Amino acid sequence: MEIEKLDTKRCILVADDDTDDQFMLKEAFASLNFDGEIQCVENGEELLDYLNNKGKYKDPSFLLPKLILLDLNMPKIDGRQCLKIIKSNVNLCKIPIIIFSTSNNPEDISQSYELGANSYVIKPYSYNELIEVVDIIKKYWFSAVKIP
């Protein structure tokens, strides 16, 4: 019964080395009354530890995220490598991943989709634009579609 409860909890994992971006995303989701949990990691190594429930992220009440917002340019292991690793892992590959990056380089966009990204969003410059993007993400991924 406890497992069912955990499976229905909405958890978004934000992988971004910019703590300001993490904060702004949390605030944007909160302002739109997102009823789930937002977890943040600061680099690719932490992202993989979180997803594998190990290291400082080992937790008996672990929630596998329903969605990952992934920055491409992070230290230790970058977003491209993380995307490749996650999408090649049978236990993680079904988690939708939105690349959330400042890069509008066509090569980054193309490579992200080739590696299995579900969406590619260029980070907005203003908080109002961020609210609009987060609202679209929330409505699409948590209302319009069914995710595992």
Side-chain angles (χ1 to χ4, degrees):
M1 183 132 162
E2 185 67 23
I3 292 173
E4 288 177 19
K5 181 180 177 189
L6 290 177
D7 285 345
T8 61
K9 178 88 172 157
R10 296 176 182 197
C11 178
I12 296 174
L13 181 57
V14 175
D16 196 318
D17 60 320
D18 187 324
T19 54
D20 290 337
D21 286 350
Q22 292 176 11
F23 175 78
M24 297 303 281
L25 279 165
K26 283 182 173 183
E27 289 295 308
F29 275 102
S31 74
L32 294 166
N33 300 313
F34 178 69
D35 62 353
E37 188 174 328
I38 308 288
Q39 294 291 327
C40 297
V41 295
E42 295 185 7
N43 61 61
E45 194 173 89
E46 287 184 5
L47 170 62
L48 297 175
D49 281 352
Y50 181 98
L51 292 173
N52 290 297
N53 195 23
K54 69 179 203 179
K56 72 179 187 180
Y57 296 100
K58 184 145 184 71
D59 182 351
S61 61
F62 172 70
L63 290 175
L64 197 61
K66 296 290 185 184
L67 181 68
I68 298 171
L69 296 177
L70 177 62
D71 186 26
L72 288 180
N73 300 311
M74 294 186 299
K76 297 189 179 182
I77 303 173
D78 74 10
R80 294 161 197 82
Q81 292 171 294
C82 288
L83 181 59
K84 186 175 185 175
I85 292 166
I86 294 165
K87 290 301 182 178
S88 66
N89 181 313
V90 69
N91 297 315
L92 304 173
C93 65
K94 292 180 183 174
I95 302 170
I97 298 177
I98 298 173
I99 301 300
F100 202 71
S101 177
T102 57
S103 173
N104 62 1
N105 181 331
E107 290 179 25
D108 285 338
I109 296 167
S110 180
Q111 183 184 32
S112 294
Y113 282 111
E114 287 169 12
L115 292 172
N118 298 89
S119 299
Y120 192 105
V121 175
I122 297 168
K123 290 180 181 179
Y125 291 102
S126 76
Y127 185 69
N128 288 337
E129 290 172 322
L130 179 63
I131 292 290
E132 289 176 21
V133 168
V134 166
D135 192 36
I136 291 167
I137 290 170
K138 179 185 166 218
K139 286 177 180 172
Y140 181 77
W141 288 105
F142 294 101
S143 296
V145 298
K146 296 292 181 201
I147 53 179

